[in-house]
Amino acid sequence: MSDRKPAGQFIDTAIDLLRRVRDEEAGTIEAAGTLLADTVQNGGRLFAFGAGHSSLAAQDVVYRAGGLALMNLLAVPGVVGVDVMPATLGSALERVDGLASAVLDSSPLREGDTLVIISLSGRNALPVEMAVNARALGVRVIGVTSVAYASETRSRHASGTFLKDHCDIVLDSKIAVGDAELTLDTVPAPFAPASTVVTSALLQAVMATAAAALADRGIEPPLLRSGNVDGGHEWNGRVLEQYRDRIFYRH
């Protein structure tokens, strides 16, 4: 670690990772944004799923000022955040075979929709099974993961495969295995995770691409505005009503 203070080192590391995904993932970001725009144009619905801290990036694109109103959260009870008690239960549920099947069977997902699945490691049963079963339904899948895990860890799914192996498009967050960017001689473990920063930025870049792609086609992007600006509630009310059959968080 350099002479810089940890705060500055972490921010610089995050900036370097953001530059990498900007440059190295430009093509996949464009492809993912185009897929979302295609889905919207063709009458499909949009969903995002993440377990544990990966759910933070999923939640960040749902009902979001400046975001696409059609993005819905595919929630799995017990794994969406750290509010489940004990928090370790969420981690255990990610490894349970059959959970994704049960969730998809009771979800509104259907052929023609697009599902974004976020999993840093991509190695647990839940995201792998979610991708496999969603594609079997005719749903397009965008995976957001760290590809490094596939070469440096073992899959926990019975197939031995990772999330990246079952996606139409894969966005690589470039996060190192372990998700901790800093080390100090005086600290016994690596610390300062950057996956949330990078993954959220990746997804917002995809959302921006989708909005611009729709506009280029002469379609007004179904965007939400902040409720804290004048006219925001009225704007959102119009959008939510116009697309009410494709929005599930308001029911």
Side-chain angles (χ1 to χ4, degrees):
M1 191 165 172
S2 72
D3 294 334
R4 287 173 294 168
K5 292 183 178 180
Q9 174 118 5
F10 173 76
I11 291 173
D12 286 346
T13 299
I15 290 171
D16 289 342
L17 284 164
L18 290 170
R19 286 184 175 132
R20 281 192 66 195
V21 298
R22 178 196 64 191
D23 297 340
E24 297 174 21
E25 297 300 302
T28 50
I29 290 171
E30 184 72 23
T34 300
L35 176 54
L36 294 190
D38 291 344
T39 305
V40 172
Q41 183 175 7
N42 295 332
R45 292 88 58 80
L46 308 177
F47 295 85
F49 166 76
H53 286 92
S54 290
S55 73
L56 296 175
Q59 293 177 63
D60 190 50
V61 295
V62 176
Y63 190 52
R64 190 71 165 86
L68 293 173
L70 273 61
M71 184 61 71
N72 300 278
L73 184 68
L74 182 63
V76 178
V79 306
V80 172
V82 293
D83 56 333
V84 62
M85 294 296 291
T88 50
L89 176 60
S91 298
L93 288 173
E94 289 186 61
R95 305 176 190 179
V96 173
D97 292 327
L99 181 56
S101 298
V103 170
L104 288 174
D105 286 346
S106 59
S107 79
L109 270 164
R110 67 188 186 193
E111 184 176 0
D113 293 345
T114 294
L115 171 63
V116 179
I117 301 177
I118 305 155
S119 174
L120 178 61
S121 73
R123 69 188 296 223
N124 288 314
L126 183 55
V128 173
E129 185 182 308
M130 186 79 74
V132 170
N133 290 11
R135 293 180 87 189
L137 292 172
V139 173
R140 303 292 296 276
V141 174
I142 298 170
V144 188
T145 188
S146 169
V147 172
Y149 276 83
S151 59
E152 299 181 38
T153 68
R154 291 184 178 180
S155 170
R156 291 184 175 131
H157 187 256
S159 67
T161 60
F162 289 75
L163 170 62
K164 73 173 186 64
D165 300 316
H166 305 284
C167 299
D168 296 282
I169 299 168
V170 176
L171 296 167
D172 183 5
S173 64
K174 317 295 181 183
I175 300 296
V177 173
D179 193 19
E181 298 298 333
L182 303 185
T183 58
L184 277 174
D185 293 340
T186 53
V187 179
F191 59 102
S195 61
T196 303
V197 173
V198 176
T199 303
S200 291
L202 259 174
L203 282 179
Q204 291 298 350
V206 171
M207 299 300 131
T209 301
L214 287 167
D216 287 344
R217 301 173 191 182
I219 301 169
E220 180 183 333
L223 297 170
L224 295 172
R225 300 189 70 178
S226 171
N228 297 313
V229 299
D230 292 342
H233 286 299
E234 293 77 13
W235 173 283
N236 291 342
R238 175 183 65 82
V239 173
L240 294 175
E241 178 60 29
Q242 181 180 351
Y243 291 96
R244 62 179 303 156
D245 61 327
R246 293 197 261 172
I247 295 173
F248 299 93
Y249 52 78
R250 67 191 300 270
H251 294 167

